[in-house]
Amino acid sequence: MMDHSEEFVWRGDGEEAEIVVYAPDAELARQGLARARRAAALPGAESPVFCAISESGYGHVLRSPASVSPGLASPPERGLLLAAELPARELARRLGVEEERVGREVLRRFGDSVGGLPRLDAATLRRVCEVGAEVAAGEGVIEEEDLAFLGPLPGDGEAVGRRALLAGEREWGEVFAEIEPLHAVEVLDSEGFERFGVEPDVLLLRLRVGSGDLGRLAFRAHRERIAARVLSGTFDRVADPADGAQSLPVAPAGTEEVRDFLLASAAAANYADALISLSLLVCRRALGDVVGGLCVRTSWRVGGVLEEDGASTHRDGLAAAGEGDVLAVAARPGSEPGGALCAALGTMGASAPPFSVQEDDEGRWPWEEVGLLGRLARLGAYG
């Protein structure tokens, strides 16, 4: 049973908690509710479990002081937004191309700047898992002032597992962020955009990178470890609403399994921060002689499990975003590059969808209408 409580908002019941779904239409809301019921089966889940779903993606956030499940969160990712702070005409002149070719020239330069990146050994990788981008700053990969946007979580490389660590060594220097050259094509909140501190016609670079095979293998290893405890009878079986014959990999709070998994999730988040530091280095190599500098304007984390105020917050496909935090929401797949520069309103368990949603026939943007995000500007492809 699904209750359409208000525009773009649906509610339903789960095993342990109420579910609130934000969606542009009823069909997507039904899909979101079906997926979120799995999250709402987590023992001790606090009401409500929040879910956002659109044509672009799906995400949920839930908290529980009683238990943790690696199967209810996505491996951590990191997003960054950089600003060149040069007007389009001046940037085109310095690059020696027409204004409409600036974006393509920027991406070409990135491709020419990826060689000769610093390597790391096993001991340094473990340090990365503990302090993240601080290692990159110590190696001269990023500037000290960038660390304010890439604060580490309390991670532990040993909790990640041997296979994941080997994968991290192998993919270091090979996994790069998705990079999109963008600019503000329409300012929607002039006051908020002015506070953000960039001019509408400057080059913006949106970077996004996950935690690679290290994060994927670490999460899988902990799911399997907890599932083995369920099979052995050490942990209680929790039926998966998607398939009653299956069990959710759930461990009680305070157990060694939960402690290790929380450390592994934090380590994967720190690793993503270090990976994006390499991409930041590539961006500065590619454009440093042209723009004179690239400043980090904002950053956001997606996914992971984090212990907060005595409960474990699970995020699957959602960004951690408190009130006033700014993130660059990605455009819908198949649409023109861009999206929106948005300020979070601190709702939905201090989470926000980093994926976009289409405006309705009346020009309303659902994420804005339900108070998840406030758009500062529309973003479009640069050049």
Side-chain angles (χ1 to χ4, degrees):
M1 182 67 179
M2 188 170 66
D3 175 31
H4 190 190
S5 58
E6 56 188 280
E7 195 72 21
F8 307 123
V9 183
W10 285 260
R11 298 175 186 272
D13 293 326
E15 292 290 328
E16 295 280 333
E18 180 192 18
I19 301 168
V20 175
V21 181
Y22 301 108
D25 57 54
E27 178 54 35
L28 282 169
R30 278 191 287 271
Q31 295 175 27
L33 183 64
R35 295 182 66 174
R37 281 202 170 105
R38 190 167 186 264
L42 184 69
E46 296 179 352
S47 284
V49 171
F50 291 105
C51 160
I53 187 169
S54 74
E55 312 91 333
S56 304
Y58 165 86
H60 68 239
V61 59
L62 73 147
R63 284 168 47 88
S64 173
S67 53
V68 169
S69 175
L72 298 178
S74 53
E77 300 177 8
R78 169 65 78 175
L80 282 181
L81 188 70
L82 313 178
E85 300 186 359
L86 271 183
R89 183 174 298 176
E90 176 61 16
L91 181 55
R93 186 188 70 79
R94 294 190 187 186
L95 289 170
V97 298
E98 300 296 326
E99 286 186 37
E100 62 269 17
R101 293 187 58 84
V102 167
R104 280 170 285 181
E105 176 64 14
V106 165
L107 291 175
R108 185 193 67 77
R109 285 177 170 245
F110 291 155
D112 292 342
S113 303
V114 298
L117 293 173
R119 305 300 299 173
L120 85 172
D121 55 23
T124 306
L125 177 57
R126 285 176 170 80
R127 182 69 176 153
V128 163
C129 290
E130 293 175 1
V131 299
E134 289 183 16
V135 172
E139 297 293 324
V141 173
I142 63 171
E143 305 296 332
E144 290 287 340
E145 54 263 33
D146 299 328
L147 294 180
F149 297 93
L150 298 170
L153 296 175
D156 185 344
E158 294 301 323
V160 167
R162 182 173 178 275
R163 285 190 64 200
L165 287 173
L166 288 173
E169 284 187 67
R170 183 176 61 251
E171 66 190 353
W172 180 262
E174 304 294 332
V175 175
F176 296 101
E178 300 171 9
I179 302 174
E180 291 181 88
L182 304 168
H183 70 130
V185 296
E186 182 184 4
V187 175
L188 302 171
D189 177 352
S190 56
E191 185 177 333
F193 190 78
E194 185 177 345
R195 283 198 303 268
F196 188 63
V198 300
E199 297 297 323
D201 60 346
V202 303
L203 172 67
L204 302 173
L205 297 173
R206 178 170 53 209
L207 279 62
R208 174 188 172 186
V209 71
S211 44
D213 283 343
L214 181 143
R216 180 180 61 82
L217 291 172
F219 269 54
R220 187 172 77 182
H222 283 278
R223 284 197 301 269
E224 292 173 350
R225 179 185 178 188
I226 292 171
R229 300 295 190 274
V230 174
L231 287 173
S232 70
T234 305
F235 296 157
D236 292 338
R237 182 180 181 278
V238 177
D240 187 338
D243 185 347
Q246 300 292 322
S247 296
L248 284 173
V250 175
T255 59
E256 180 182 354
E257 287 76 10
V258 164
R259 178 185 64 81
D260 289 346
F261 172 60
L262 292 174
L263 290 171
S265 179
N270 292 339
Y271 181 67
D273 286 356
L275 284 179
I276 213 164
S277 298
L278 291 182
S279 295
L280 179 54
L281 173 63
V282 169
C283 290
R284 286 175 169 155
R285 278 183 180 178
L287 295 175
D289 61 333
V290 176
V291 303
L294 284 169
C295 299
V296 180
R297 301 301 307 178
T298 189
S299 69
W300 56 95
R301 276 197 176 99
V302 175
V305 180
L306 187 63
E307 195 165 28
E308 301 172 315
D309 301 324
S312 295
T313 301
H314 301 62
R315 291 187 177 92
D316 181 0
L318 293 181
E323 185 176 3
D325 290 346
V326 177
L327 64 154
V329 173
R332 293 179 296 111
S335 64
E336 291 295 319
L341 183 69
C342 300
L345 301 181
T347 53
M348 198 166 67
S351 302
F355 47 87
S356 193
V357 63
Q358 190 171 1
E359 292 179 348
D360 69 3
D361 294 338
E362 299 175 21
R364 298 176 301 176
W365 200 57
W367 297 163
E368 207 162 39
E369 292 295 314
V370 297
L372 303 184
L373 294 165
R375 286 181 295 180
L376 305 181
R378 299 181 196 271
L379 300 177
Y382 197 103

